[in-house]
Amino acid sequence: MIPIAEPLLGKDELKNIKEAIESGWVSSKGKFIKEFEDNFSKFCDVKFGVTTSSGTTALHLALSALGIKSGDEVIVPDLTFIATANTVVYCNAKPTFIDVHPDYWCLDPEKITEKITPKTKAIIPVHLYGHPCDMDIIMEIAEENNLYVIEDAAEAHGSEYKGKKVGSIGHVSCYSFFANKVITTGEGGMCLTDNEELAEKMKLLRDHGMNHEKRYWYDIIGFNYRMTNLQAALGVAQLTKIDKFINKKRQIANWYYKGLIDLADQELITLQPEKKWAKSIYWMYSILLNEKLGISRERFLETLKNNGIDNRPFFYAIHLLPPYKCSNSTLMVAEDISSRGLNLPSSTVLEEKDIKYINKIIKKIVDEVKK
Ligand SMILES: *Cc1c(COP(=O)(O)O)cnc(C)c1O
């Protein structure tokens, strides 16, 4: 089976892990934590990094530090990984779902303003599958309405918006280092911000809210969302290869593009877009099956699997999931894209022959439907 996403781990990772173990610092003290925070924030052109135990805890930490609380509303795209919405609920606030843009599948900025209420406190743009959101308009709306912007960049390490790294544009940004993300620490995450006070608040909340001067004294209720030195050791090694990983992802996207463009020209499928103002890292190469193709996604995915090609359907539109269930006619684009989209194998370990094989199988499936 050609895997959908597989981490590339090697000698450097092993060397750092060994060093961390030999140092005795296996919990959340030790040299690799600061090194990883410094190096990753520098890579993203942001001043401060605060490591966390996951991308989910990074989002919850950022929202908590910004004071999101019961009664507040937070704007979230309807098409994203569930953690984006769940972390709003962890704060006892309410996610307000916004439709996505039909061209590039991220938060549609044109549809934000109509859903802002006096209770709205923040927007979480998600750079879905590696493609950046249209941040200029989002920041403008946020400024006009006095809202925080928390970038969910869990799928977009190194993606760029008009030449700027995503994650360096909002008030704070959140990353994940889960095994299938661009770089991994096993489980892990990070919040980035240029605001020193906010960074300090996040560090405080990450560590139970314990007073820095007075041990075991707590002025607030915090969490244990710390990353371990072992995880950070992995991250430091992974980060030295991030440019290589990103180039490979873009190369893979190009191989798919070359192999599938004629199907796209016939409007049978839609290829993952890259807007003029965007540099996508193509975290997971994705396509949409168009109605004209005449095959259900379920059958398409099953046939790929039968040919040894792992795959994933797109995330469900969140307003269709039981905890968030509501009928909402303003979320039709998310529903449509969610029902037609799929992710193809995108591991950095893949070679051109693998992608050629996948393209060949996709064409075979299409030919068979047409017969
Ligand atoms: C992966 C992901 C997260 C959560 O990250 P974890 O490290 O798995 O907790 C949040 N948002 C998006 C968009 C993601 O893809």
Side-chain angles (χ1 to χ4, degrees), residues 54-57 59 80-81 83-84 126 152 154-155 176-178 181 187-188 283 315:
S54 72
T56 304
T57 54
L59 281 165
T80 177
F81 182 60
T84 317
V126 180
D152 183 343
E155 305 180 354
S176 164
F177 306 111
F178 186 68
K181 305 290 161 105
E187 297 274 4
W283 171 55
F315 302 128

mmCIF file with all atom_site columns, all heavy atoms in Angstrom, residues 54-57 59 80-81 83-84 126 152 154-155 176-178 181 187-188 283 315, ligand 1:
data_model
loop_
_atom_site.group_PDB
_atom_site.id
_atom_site.type_symbol
_atom_site.label_atom_id
_atom_site.label_alt_id
_atom_site.label_comp_id
_atom_site.label_asym_id
_atom_site.label_entity_id
_atom_site.label_seq_id
_atom_site.pdbx_PDB_ins_code
_atom_site.Cartn_x
_atom_site.Cartn_y
_atom_site.Cartn_z
_atom_site.occupancy
_atom_site.B_iso_or_equiv
_atom_site.pdbx_formal_charge
_atom_site.auth_seq_id
_atom_site.auth_comp_id
_atom_site.auth_asym_id
_atom_site.auth_atom_id
_atom_site.pdbx_PDB_model_num
ATOM   1   N N   . SER A 1 54  ? 0.324   19.307 21.658 1.00 0.00 ? 54  SER A N   1
ATOM   2   C CA  . SER A 1 54  ? -0.309  18.960 20.377 1.00 0.00 ? 54  SER A CA  1
ATOM   3   C C   . SER A 1 54  ? -0.777  20.234 19.677 1.00 0.00 ? 54  SER A C   1
ATOM   4   O O   . SER A 1 54  ? -0.760  21.322 20.269 1.00 0.00 ? 54  SER A O   1
ATOM   5   C CB  . SER A 1 54  ? -1.507  18.026 20.582 1.00 0.00 ? 54  SER A CB  1
ATOM   6   O OG  . SER A 1 54  ? -2.591  18.738 21.152 1.00 0.00 ? 54  SER A OG  1
ATOM   7   N N   . GLY A 1 55  ? -1.234  20.084 18.446 1.00 0.00 ? 55  GLY A N   1
ATOM   8   C CA  . GLY A 1 55  ? -1.822  21.213 17.739 1.00 0.00 ? 55  GLY A CA  1
ATOM   9   C C   . GLY A 1 55  ? -3.136  21.629 18.377 1.00 0.00 ? 55  GLY A C   1
ATOM   10  O O   . GLY A 1 55  ? -3.476  22.818 18.416 1.00 0.00 ? 55  GLY A O   1
ATOM   11  N N   . THR A 1 56  ? -3.859  20.652 18.879 1.00 0.00 ? 56  THR A N   1
ATOM   12  C CA  . THR A 1 56  ? -5.134  20.935 19.541 1.00 0.00 ? 56  THR A CA  1
ATOM   13  C C   . THR A 1 56  ? -4.914  21.758 20.808 1.00 0.00 ? 56  THR A C   1
ATOM   14  O O   . THR A 1 56  ? -5.603  22.767 21.027 1.00 0.00 ? 56  THR A O   1
ATOM   15  C CB  . THR A 1 56  ? -5.841  19.607 19.888 1.00 0.00 ? 56  THR A CB  1
ATOM   16  O OG1 . THR A 1 56  ? -5.982  18.841 18.689 1.00 0.00 ? 56  THR A OG1 1
ATOM   17  C CG2 . THR A 1 56  ? -7.201  19.847 20.501 1.00 0.00 ? 56  THR A CG2 1
ATOM   18  N N   . THR A 1 57  ? -3.934  21.365 21.624 1.00 0.00 ? 57  THR A N   1
ATOM   19  C CA  . THR A 1 57  ? -3.683  22.131 22.852 1.00 0.00 ? 57  THR A CA  1
ATOM   20  C C   . THR A 1 57  ? -3.100  23.510 22.513 1.00 0.00 ? 57  THR A C   1
ATOM   21  O O   . THR A 1 57  ? -3.326  24.471 23.246 1.00 0.00 ? 57  THR A O   1
ATOM   22  C CB  . THR A 1 57  ? -2.776  21.367 23.840 1.00 0.00 ? 57  THR A CB  1
ATOM   23  O OG1 . THR A 1 57  ? -1.570  20.969 23.187 1.00 0.00 ? 57  THR A OG1 1
ATOM   24  C CG2 . THR A 1 57  ? -3.480  20.136 24.386 1.00 0.00 ? 57  THR A CG2 1
ATOM   25  N N   . LEU A 1 59  ? -4.082  25.363 19.993 1.00 0.00 ? 59  LEU A N   1
ATOM   26  C CA  . LEU A 1 59  ? -5.260  26.189 19.705 1.00 0.00 ? 59  LEU A CA  1
ATOM   27  C C   . LEU A 1 59  ? -5.986  26.571 20.997 1.00 0.00 ? 59  LEU A C   1
ATOM   28  O O   . LEU A 1 59  ? -6.376  27.729 21.191 1.00 0.00 ? 59  LEU A O   1
ATOM   29  C CB  . LEU A 1 59  ? -6.231  25.421 18.788 1.00 0.00 ? 59  LEU A CB  1
ATOM   30  C CG  . LEU A 1 59  ? -5.881  25.374 17.296 1.00 0.00 ? 59  LEU A CG  1
ATOM   31  C CD1 . LEU A 1 59  ? -6.693  24.294 16.587 1.00 0.00 ? 59  LEU A CD1 1
ATOM   32  C CD2 . LEU A 1 59  ? -6.117  26.734 16.635 1.00 0.00 ? 59  LEU A CD2 1
ATOM   33  N N   . THR A 1 80  ? -12.844 22.061 7.944  1.00 0.00 ? 80  THR A N   1
ATOM   34  C CA  . THR A 1 80  ? -11.544 22.003 8.624  1.00 0.00 ? 80  THR A CA  1
ATOM   35  C C   . THR A 1 80  ? -11.505 20.750 9.478  1.00 0.00 ? 80  THR A C   1
ATOM   36  O O   . THR A 1 80  ? -12.507 20.047 9.616  1.00 0.00 ? 80  THR A O   1
ATOM   37  C CB  . THR A 1 80  ? -11.306 23.254 9.504  1.00 0.00 ? 80  THR A CB  1
ATOM   38  O OG1 . THR A 1 80  ? -10.043 23.116 10.204 1.00 0.00 ? 80  THR A OG1 1
ATOM   39  C CG2 . THR A 1 80  ? -12.392 23.440 10.551 1.00 0.00 ? 80  THR A CG2 1
ATOM   40  N N   . PHE A 1 81  ? -10.340 20.476 10.052 1.00 0.00 ? 81  PHE A N   1
ATOM   41  C CA  . PHE A 1 81  ? -10.238 19.383 11.023 1.00 0.00 ? 81  PHE A CA  1
ATOM   42  C C   . PHE A 1 81  ? -11.026 19.782 12.270 1.00 0.00 ? 81  PHE A C   1
ATOM   43  O O   . PHE A 1 81  ? -11.066 20.957 12.645 1.00 0.00 ? 81  PHE A O   1
ATOM   44  C CB  . PHE A 1 81  ? -8.758  19.123 11.345 1.00 0.00 ? 81  PHE A CB  1
ATOM   45  C CG  . PHE A 1 81  ? -8.537  17.988 12.296 1.00 0.00 ? 81  PHE A CG  1
ATOM   46  C CD1 . PHE A 1 81  ? -8.975  16.710 11.978 1.00 0.00 ? 81  PHE A CD1 1
ATOM   47  C CD2 . PHE A 1 81  ? -7.905  18.189 13.508 1.00 0.00 ? 81  PHE A CD2 1
ATOM   48  C CE1 . PHE A 1 81  ? -8.779  15.650 12.860 1.00 0.00 ? 81  PHE A CE1 1
ATOM   49  C CE2 . PHE A 1 81  ? -7.702  17.147 14.392 1.00 0.00 ? 81  PHE A CE2 1
ATOM   50  C CZ  . PHE A 1 81  ? -8.141  15.876 14.064 1.00 0.00 ? 81  PHE A CZ  1
ATOM   51  N N   . ALA A 1 83  ? -10.668 19.742 15.379 1.00 0.00 ? 83  ALA A N   1
ATOM   52  C CA  . ALA A 1 83  ? -10.056 20.415 16.532 1.00 0.00 ? 83  ALA A CA  1
ATOM   53  C C   . ALA A 1 83  ? -10.244 21.927 16.480 1.00 0.00 ? 83  ALA A C   1
ATOM   54  O O   . ALA A 1 83  ? -10.332 22.584 17.527 1.00 0.00 ? 83  ALA A O   1
ATOM   55  C CB  . ALA A 1 83  ? -8.566  20.078 16.607 1.00 0.00 ? 83  ALA A CB  1
ATOM   56  N N   . THR A 1 84  ? -10.305 22.494 15.282 1.00 0.00 ? 84  THR A N   1
ATOM   57  C CA  . THR A 1 84  ? -10.468 23.950 15.168 1.00 0.00 ? 84  THR A CA  1
ATOM   58  C C   . THR A 1 84  ? -11.753 24.388 15.873 1.00 0.00 ? 84  THR A C   1
ATOM   59  O O   . THR A 1 84  ? -11.760 25.375 16.610 1.00 0.00 ? 84  THR A O   1
ATOM   60  C CB  . THR A 1 84  ? -10.529 24.377 13.684 1.00 0.00 ? 84  THR A CB  1
ATOM   61  O OG1 . THR A 1 84  ? -9.544  23.669 12.947 1.00 0.00 ? 84  THR A OG1 1
ATOM   62  C CG2 . THR A 1 84  ? -10.307 25.863 13.529 1.00 0.00 ? 84  THR A CG2 1
ATOM   63  N N   . VAL A 1 126 ? -8.109  28.885 8.675  1.00 0.00 ? 126 VAL A N   1
ATOM   64  C CA  . VAL A 1 126 ? -7.367  27.610 8.591  1.00 0.00 ? 126 VAL A CA  1
ATOM   65  C C   . VAL A 1 126 ? -6.758  27.509 7.190  1.00 0.00 ? 126 VAL A C   1
ATOM   66  O O   . VAL A 1 126 ? -7.479  27.592 6.199  1.00 0.00 ? 126 VAL A O   1
ATOM   67  C CB  . VAL A 1 126 ? -8.307  26.414 8.835  1.00 0.00 ? 126 VAL A CB  1
ATOM   68  C CG1 . VAL A 1 126 ? -7.530  25.103 8.749  1.00 0.00 ? 126 VAL A CG1 1
ATOM   69  C CG2 . VAL A 1 126 ? -9.011  26.537 10.180 1.00 0.00 ? 126 VAL A CG2 1
ATOM   70  N N   . ASP A 1 152 ? -4.818  28.973 12.191 1.00 0.00 ? 152 ASP A N   1
ATOM   71  C CA  . ASP A 1 152 ? -4.611  27.536 12.348 1.00 0.00 ? 152 ASP A CA  1
ATOM   72  C C   . ASP A 1 152 ? -3.744  27.087 11.166 1.00 0.00 ? 152 ASP A C   1
ATOM   73  O O   . ASP A 1 152 ? -4.236  26.880 10.058 1.00 0.00 ? 152 ASP A O   1
ATOM   74  C CB  . ASP A 1 152 ? -5.953  26.801 12.369 1.00 0.00 ? 152 ASP A CB  1
ATOM   75  C CG  . ASP A 1 152 ? -5.782  25.297 12.600 1.00 0.00 ? 152 ASP A CG  1
ATOM   76  O OD1 . ASP A 1 152 ? -4.655  24.802 12.411 1.00 0.00 ? 152 ASP A OD1 1
ATOM   77  O OD2 . ASP A 1 152 ? -6.774  24.632 12.953 1.00 0.00 ? 152 ASP A OD2 1
ATOM   78  N N   . ALA A 1 154 ? -1.821  24.385 11.138 1.00 0.00 ? 154 ALA A N   1
ATOM   79  C CA  . ALA A 1 154 ? -1.430  23.000 11.429 1.00 0.00 ? 154 ALA A CA  1
ATOM   80  C C   . ALA A 1 154 ? -1.101  22.194 10.170 1.00 0.00 ? 154 ALA A C   1
ATOM   81  O O   . ALA A 1 154 ? -0.447  21.162 10.239 1.00 0.00 ? 154 ALA A O   1
ATOM   82  C CB  . ALA A 1 154 ? -2.540  22.302 12.209 1.00 0.00 ? 154 ALA A CB  1
ATOM   83  N N   . GLU A 1 155 ? -1.571  22.689 9.012  1.00 0.00 ? 155 GLU A N   1
ATOM   84  C CA  . GLU A 1 155 ? -1.336  21.956 7.761  1.00 0.00 ? 155 GLU A CA  1
ATOM   85  C C   . GLU A 1 155 ? -0.490  22.780 6.792  1.00 0.00 ? 155 GLU A C   1
ATOM   86  O O   . GLU A 1 155 ? -0.473  22.506 5.600  1.00 0.00 ? 155 GLU A O   1
ATOM   87  C CB  . GLU A 1 155 ? -2.697  21.636 7.108  1.00 0.00 ? 155 GLU A CB  1
ATOM   88  C CG  . GLU A 1 155 ? -3.631  20.888 8.042  1.00 0.00 ? 155 GLU A CG  1
ATOM   89  C CD  . GLU A 1 155 ? -4.994  20.558 7.437  1.00 0.00 ? 155 GLU A CD  1
ATOM   90  O OE1 . GLU A 1 155 ? -5.274  21.008 6.308  1.00 0.00 ? 155 GLU A OE1 1
ATOM   91  O OE2 . GLU A 1 155 ? -5.756  19.846 8.080  1.00 0.00 ? 155 GLU A OE2 1
ATOM   92  N N   . SER A 1 176 ? 0.775   22.130 14.318 1.00 0.00 ? 176 SER A N   1
ATOM   93  C CA  . SER A 1 176 ? 0.775   20.762 14.830 1.00 0.00 ? 176 SER A CA  1
ATOM   94  C C   . SER A 1 176 ? 1.995   20.033 14.296 1.00 0.00 ? 176 SER A C   1
ATOM   95  O O   . SER A 1 176 ? 2.424   20.278 13.160 1.00 0.00 ? 176 SER A O   1
ATOM   96  C CB  . SER A 1 176 ? -0.493  20.026 14.377 1.00 0.00 ? 176 SER A CB  1
ATOM   97  O OG  . SER A 1 176 ? -0.329  18.623 14.542 1.00 0.00 ? 176 SER A OG  1
ATOM   98  N N   . PHE A 1 177 ? 2.546   19.146 15.118 1.00 0.00 ? 177 PHE A N   1
ATOM   99  C CA  . PHE A 1 177 ? 3.654   18.296 14.675 1.00 0.00 ? 177 PHE A CA  1
ATOM   100 C C   . PHE A 1 177 ? 3.288   16.827 14.809 1.00 0.00 ? 177 PHE A C   1
ATOM   101 O O   . PHE A 1 177 ? 4.106   15.985 15.171 1.00 0.00 ? 177 PHE A O   1
ATOM   102 C CB  . PHE A 1 177 ? 4.935   18.632 15.462 1.00 0.00 ? 177 PHE A CB  1
ATOM   103 C CG  . PHE A 1 177 ? 5.294   20.089 15.419 1.00 0.00 ? 177 PHE A CG  1
ATOM   104 C CD1 . PHE A 1 177 ? 5.195   20.876 16.566 1.00 0.00 ? 177 PHE A CD1 1
ATOM   105 C CD2 . PHE A 1 177 ? 5.695   20.687 14.232 1.00 0.00 ? 177 PHE A CD2 1
ATOM   106 C CE1 . PHE A 1 177 ? 5.503   22.226 16.530 1.00 0.00 ? 177 PHE A CE1 1
ATOM   107 C CE2 . PHE A 1 177 ? 6.010   22.041 14.185 1.00 0.00 ? 177 PHE A CE2 1
ATOM   108 C CZ  . PHE A 1 177 ? 5.914   22.811 15.334 1.00 0.00 ? 177 PHE A CZ  1
ATOM   109 N N   . PHE A 1 178 ? 2.020   16.515 14.567 1.00 0.00 ? 178 PHE A N   1
ATOM   110 C CA  . PHE A 1 178 ? 1.562   15.135 14.502 1.00 0.00 ? 178 PHE A CA  1
ATOM   111 C C   . PHE A 1 178 ? 2.326   14.419 13.374 1.00 0.00 ? 178 PHE A C   1
ATOM   112 O O   . PHE A 1 178 ? 2.866   15.076 12.484 1.00 0.00 ? 178 PHE A O   1
ATOM   113 C CB  . PHE A 1 178 ? 0.042   15.139 14.235 1.00 0.00 ? 178 PHE A CB  1
ATOM   114 C CG  . PHE A 1 178 ? -0.579  13.774 14.279 1.00 0.00 ? 178 PHE A CG  1
ATOM   115 C CD1 . PHE A 1 178 ? -0.662  13.068 15.471 1.00 0.00 ? 178 PHE A CD1 1
ATOM   116 C CD2 . PHE A 1 178 ? -1.098  13.191 13.127 1.00 0.00 ? 178 PHE A CD2 1
ATOM   117 C CE1 . PHE A 1 178 ? -1.239  11.810 15.507 1.00 0.00 ? 178 PHE A CE1 1
ATOM   118 C CE2 . PHE A 1 178 ? -1.678  11.933 13.150 1.00 0.00 ? 178 PHE A CE2 1
ATOM   119 C CZ  . PHE A 1 178 ? -1.744  11.238 14.345 1.00 0.00 ? 178 PHE A CZ  1
ATOM   120 N N   . LYS A 1 181 ? 2.023   15.469 9.695  1.00 0.00 ? 181 LYS A N   1
ATOM   121 C CA  . LYS A 1 181 ? 2.195   16.882 9.309  1.00 0.00 ? 181 LYS A CA  1
ATOM   122 C C   . LYS A 1 181 ? 3.557   17.082 8.631  1.00 0.00 ? 181 LYS A C   1
ATOM   123 O O   . LYS A 1 181 ? 4.326   16.148 8.512  1.00 0.00 ? 181 LYS A O   1
ATOM   124 C CB  . LYS A 1 181 ? 2.027   17.792 10.524 1.00 0.00 ? 181 LYS A CB  1
ATOM   125 C CG  . LYS A 1 181 ? 0.696   17.593 11.260 1.00 0.00 ? 181 LYS A CG  1
ATOM   126 C CD  . LYS A 1 181 ? -0.514  18.093 10.482 1.00 0.00 ? 181 LYS A CD  1
ATOM   127 C CE  . LYS A 1 181 ? -1.811  17.500 10.972 1.00 0.00 ? 181 LYS A CE  1
ATOM   128 N NZ  . LYS A 1 181 ? -2.681  18.323 11.750 1.00 0.00 ? 181 LYS A NZ  1
ATOM   129 N N   . GLU A 1 187 ? 3.734   13.518 18.717 1.00 0.00 ? 187 GLU A N   1
ATOM   130 C CA  . GLU A 1 187 ? 2.629   14.437 19.008 1.00 0.00 ? 187 GLU A CA  1
ATOM   131 C C   . GLU A 1 187 ? 3.297   15.755 19.390 1.00 0.00 ? 187 GLU A C   1
ATOM   132 O O   . GLU A 1 187 ? 4.388   15.748 19.944 1.00 0.00 ? 187 GLU A O   1
ATOM   133 C CB  . GLU A 1 187 ? 1.778   13.954 20.193 1.00 0.00 ? 187 GLU A CB  1
ATOM   134 C CG  . GLU A 1 187 ? 1.062   12.632 19.974 1.00 0.00 ? 187 GLU A CG  1
ATOM   135 C CD  . GLU A 1 187 ? -0.287  12.778 19.276 1.00 0.00 ? 187 GLU A CD  1
ATOM   136 O OE1 . GLU A 1 187 ? -0.638  13.922 18.894 1.00 0.00 ? 187 GLU A OE1 1
ATOM   137 O OE2 . GLU A 1 187 ? -0.951  11.749 19.082 1.00 0.00 ? 187 GLU A OE2 1
ATOM   138 N N   . GLY A 1 188 ? 2.646   16.863 19.140 1.00 0.00 ? 188 GLY A N   1
ATOM   139 C CA  . GLY A 1 188 ? 3.249   18.127 19.537 1.00 0.00 ? 188 GLY A CA  1
ATOM   140 C C   . GLY A 1 188 ? 2.645   19.287 18.784 1.00 0.00 ? 188 GLY A C   1
ATOM   141 O O   . GLY A 1 188 ? 1.936   19.094 17.789 1.00 0.00 ? 188 GLY A O   1
ATOM   142 N N   . TRP A 1 283 ? 0.238   20.153 1.569  1.00 0.00 ? 283 TRP A N   1
ATOM   143 C CA  . TRP A 1 283 ? 0.403   19.185 2.662  1.00 0.00 ? 283 TRP A CA  1
ATOM   144 C C   . TRP A 1 283 ? -0.115  17.801 2.252  1.00 0.00 ? 283 TRP A C   1
ATOM   145 O O   . TRP A 1 283 ? 0.564   16.788 2.417  1.00 0.00 ? 283 TRP A O   1
ATOM   146 C CB  . TRP A 1 283 ? -0.341  19.670 3.911  1.00 0.00 ? 283 TRP A CB  1
ATOM   147 C CG  . TRP A 1 283 ? -0.395  18.645 4.992  1.00 0.00 ? 283 TRP A CG  1
ATOM   148 C CD1 . TRP A 1 283 ? 0.676   18.008 5.556  1.00 0.00 ? 283 TRP A CD1 1
ATOM   149 C CD2 . TRP A 1 283 ? -1.558  18.120 5.617  1.00 0.00 ? 283 TRP A CD2 1
ATOM   150 N NE1 . TRP A 1 283 ? 0.231   17.128 6.509  1.00 0.00 ? 283 TRP A NE1 1
ATOM   151 C CE2 . TRP A 1 283 ? -1.127  17.177 6.566  1.00 0.00 ? 283 TRP A CE2 1
ATOM   152 C CE3 . TRP A 1 283 ? -2.935  18.370 5.482  1.00 0.00 ? 283 TRP A CE3 1
ATOM   153 C CZ2 . TRP A 1 283 ? -2.010  16.464 7.368  1.00 0.00 ? 283 TRP A CZ2 1
ATOM   154 C CZ3 . TRP A 1 283 ? -3.815  17.671 6.289  1.00 0.00 ? 283 TRP A CZ3 1
ATOM   155 C CH2 . TRP A 1 283 ? -3.357  16.725 7.218  1.00 0.00 ? 283 TRP A CH2 1
ATOM   156 N N   . PHE A 1 315 ? -12.420 16.249 4.992  1.00 0.00 ? 315 PHE A N   1
ATOM   157 C CA  . PHE A 1 315 ? -13.147 16.412 6.260  1.00 0.00 ? 315 PHE A CA  1
ATOM   158 C C   . PHE A 1 315 ? -14.619 16.635 5.945  1.00 0.00 ? 315 PHE A C   1
ATOM   159 O O   . PHE A 1 315 ? -14.952 17.225 4.916  1.00 0.00 ? 315 PHE A O   1
ATOM   160 C CB  . PHE A 1 315 ? -12.624 17.640 7.019  1.00 0.00 ? 315 PHE A CB  1
ATOM   161 C CG  . PHE A 1 315 ? -11.146 17.590 7.328  1.00 0.00 ? 315 PHE A CG  1
ATOM   162 C CD1 . PHE A 1 315 ? -10.308 18.650 6.979  1.00 0.00 ? 315 PHE A CD1 1
ATOM   163 C CD2 . PHE A 1 315 ? -10.582 16.506 7.990  1.00 0.00 ? 315 PHE A CD2 1
ATOM   164 C CE1 . PHE A 1 315 ? -8.945  18.616 7.265  1.00 0.00 ? 315 PHE A CE1 1
ATOM   165 C CE2 . PHE A 1 315 ? -9.225  16.465 8.285  1.00 0.00 ? 315 PHE A CE2 1
ATOM   166 C CZ  . PHE A 1 315 ? -8.409  17.519 7.916  1.00 0.00 ? 315 PHE A CZ  1
HETATM 167 C C1  . LIG B 2 .   ? -3.876  18.335 12.706 1.00 0.00 ? 1   LIG B C1  1
HETATM 168 C C2  . LIG B 2 .   ? -4.704  19.532 12.867 1.00 0.00 ? 1   LIG B C2  1
HETATM 169 C C3  . LIG B 2 .   ? -4.987  20.081 14.129 1.00 0.00 ? 1   LIG B C3  1
HETATM 170 C C4  . LIG B 2 .   ? -4.689  19.399 15.424 1.00 0.00 ? 1   LIG B C4  1
HETATM 171 O O1  . LIG B 2 .   ? -3.400  18.973 15.611 1.00 0.00 ? 1   LIG B O1  1
HETATM 172 P P1  . LIG B 2 .   ? -3.072  17.752 16.602 1.00 0.00 ? 1   LIG B P1  1
HETATM 173 O O2  . LIG B 2 .   ? -1.596  17.886 16.770 1.00 0.00 ? 1   LIG B O2  1
HETATM 174 O O3  . LIG B 2 .   ? -3.464  16.499 15.887 1.00 0.00 ? 1   LIG B O3  1
HETATM 175 O O4  . LIG B 2 .   ? -3.793  17.959 17.855 1.00 0.00 ? 1   LIG B O4  1
HETATM 176 C C5  . LIG B 2 .   ? -5.698  21.276 14.183 1.00 0.00 ? 1   LIG B C5  1
HETATM 177 N N1  . LIG B 2 .   ? -6.127  21.888 13.069 1.00 0.00 ? 1   LIG B N1  1
HETATM 178 C C6  . LIG B 2 .   ? -5.884  21.380 11.842 1.00 0.00 ? 1   LIG B C6  1
HETATM 179 C C7  . LIG B 2 .   ? -6.384  22.119 10.652 1.00 0.00 ? 1   LIG B C7  1
HETATM 180 C C8  . LIG B 2 .   ? -5.187  20.175 11.698 1.00 0.00 ? 1   LIG B C8  1
HETATM 181 O O5  . LIG B 2 .   ? -4.995  19.652 10.493 1.00 0.00 ? 1   LIG B O5  1
#
